[in-house]
């Protein structure tokens, strides 16, 4: 989600250099904030739902918090990918994250049901 937001952010044309801090939110600010919030919500929700087999709410919440931390780490990896590969590199990075996330989700789902 965060990497997708960075791809959209790079697609929005903007000024090369900001002369002064604007008093209002720009489109780039909104895209970045929505993608960060969406990434946090998706990570926390998936961490909470995939640990339904754990009866202790504290451990489930801790797992969801670790999922949020992991999403920030994976989203932070988009910065060097963006610097090296630009939009093409970000797209490849996003596809790799989706594939790895799908694999991890299936493994976690299988472990939760067995």
């Amino acid at each position: 989600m965060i990497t997708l937001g960075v791809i959209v952010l790079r697609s929005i044309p903007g000024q090369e250099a900001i002369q002064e801090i604007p008093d209002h939110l720009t489109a780039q600010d909104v895209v970045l904030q929505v993608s960060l919030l969406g990434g946090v919500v998706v990570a926390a929700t998936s961490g909470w739902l995939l640990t339904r087999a754990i009866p202790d709410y504290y451990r489930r919440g801790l797992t969801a918090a670790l999922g949020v931390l992991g999403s920030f780490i994976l989203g932070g990896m988009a910065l060097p990918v963006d610097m090296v590969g630009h939009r093409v590199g970000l797209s490849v990075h996003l596809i790799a994250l989706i594939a790895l996330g799908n694999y991890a989700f299936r493994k976690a789902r299988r472990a939760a049901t067995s």
Side-chain angles (χ1 to χ4, degrees):
M1 187 83 176
I2 297 171
T3 305
L4 181 62
V6 173
I7 291 173
V8 172
L9 180 68
R10 294 283 290 167
S11 300
I12 296 174
Q15 298 176 349
E16 293 299 321
I18 297 175
Q19 302 298 332
E20 60 186 48
I21 299 173
D23 292 335
H24 59 281
L25 287 176
T26 62
Q28 291 92 348
D29 297 333
V30 173
V31 167
L32 192 59
Q33 290 174 2
V34 167
S35 65
L36 284 173
L37 181 64
V40 168
V41 169
V42 167
T45 303
S46 64
W48 182 262
L49 293 177
L50 287 173
T51 56
R52 280 184 276 207
I54 299 174
D56 186 14
Y57 289 132
Y58 175 76
R59 288 176 51 198
R60 286 180 74 182
L62 186 62
T63 304
L66 288 173
V68 170
L69 178 66
S71 74
F72 281 138
I73 291 171
L74 291 174
M77 287 173 51
L79 178 65
V81 170
D82 181 32
M83 292 172 64
V84 173
H86 305 291
R87 278 188 227 142
V88 174
L90 281 173
S91 299
V92 171
H93 180 66
L94 178 64
I95 291 169
L97 286 178
I98 290 172
L100 290 172
N102 188 22
Y103 173 74
F105 184 79
R106 283 189 281 131
K107 293 289 276 187
R109 188 80 167 192
R110 189 176 308 139
T113 58
S114 61

